[in-house]
Amino acid sequence: MRDLRGLIRDVPDFPRKGILFKDITPLLASPDALAEAVRALAARTVRPDAVVAIESRSFIFGTALALHWQVPFVPARKFGKLPGRTVREVYSLEYGEDTLEIHADALHAGQRVVIVDDLLATGGTAAAAARLVEQLEAKVAALLFLIELEGLGGRERLASYPVEALIAFTVAEEGA
Ligand code: AMP
């Protein structure tokens, strides 16, 4: 596999002091690397019935995977952005909470769904997306991440699901 890791740029103190932000734009700027990342993510699981991606960076990978597998793309968005009837889940952030929604008719009972996000940190965002899928009685077949920040408890929090990440960084080393 290409050196995708080398195309993730560390930006200290963004968006707040003390956060080491993992900037994926160098990877996005390389068509070869982006294609490789999508191929590698797709290879981590079998073709699902639908792809759910979490606003907004994961729309890039989620769209590519939905096209790769030729399955529906389902956006999970922040509260108030989707026009139709929705189901919602509230989840905790470092400061306060946020709400994710998907359209209530976007998934059907029994469908096998892959959830995609750019980065796994504490797992709170991905866990909320998984609960949305389950509210609609669909099944979470796998959660795919480009990046995993190890040491923040994300994988443990998602222990009841198959979790795959292409690139791992250890937070202790990174100081994230
Ligand atoms: P969490 O819910 O804690 O797993 O956080 C995951 C979400 O926050 C993902 O959608 C990421 O895009 C974003 N995120 C958290 N930490 C970082 C980081 N160090 N660099 C870039 N994005 C991050």
Side-chain angles (χ1 to χ4, degrees):
M1 194 163 82
R2 277 183 57 109
D3 179 26
L4 300 180
R5 175 184 289 266
L7 293 171
I8 309 294
R9 177 166 54 192
D10 282 346
V11 183
D13 298 322
F14 182 87
R16 282 190 311 277
K17 198 157 179 48
I19 305 281
L20 185 63
F21 189 82
K22 297 292 182 188
D23 176 20
I24 63 169
T25 59
L27 187 153
L28 300 180
S30 162
D32 285 352
L34 181 55
E36 175 61 25
V38 172
R39 264 196 302 275
L41 285 168
R44 295 293 182 102
T45 187
V46 296
R47 179 178 181 267
D49 298 314
V51 172
V52 168
I54 303 165
E55 177 175 350
S56 57
R57 267 166 291 167
S58 69
F59 286 179
I60 299 158
F61 300 97
T63 305
L65 286 167
L67 289 171
H68 171 87
W69 282 315
Q70 289 289 289
V71 298
F73 172 83
V74 177
R77 300 210 61 188
K78 298 287 171 62
F79 179 77
K81 301 283 190 188
L82 289 170
R85 194 167 67 82
T86 61
V87 291
R88 40 184 88 133
E89 283 288 340
V90 178
Y91 61 102
S92 305
L93 299 171
E94 203 178 344
Y95 302 103
E97 49 186 36
D98 216 337
T99 304
L100 270 188
E101 296 184 306
I102 59 174
H103 274 143
D105 62 359
L107 298 171
H108 308 292
Q111 280 188 312
R112 296 177 63 266
V113 175
V114 163
I115 295 172
V116 186
D117 203 359
D118 63 326
L119 184 143
L120 172 62
T122 67
T125 311
R131 293 196 302 272
L132 283 176
V133 168
E134 289 165 351
Q135 275 199 51
L136 297 177
E137 294 173 31
K139 184 176 157 35
V140 179
L143 292 116
L144 301 182
F145 300 92
L146 181 69
I147 301 166
E148 174 179 2
L149 297 185
E150 291 176 339
L152 297 176
R155 195 172 275 271
E156 294 74 11
R157 187 170 193 162
L158 300 171
S160 54
Y161 308 105
V163 172
E164 297 285 343
L166 291 190
I167 307 162
F169 295 97
T170 304
V171 169
E173 285 171 13
E174 296 289 318

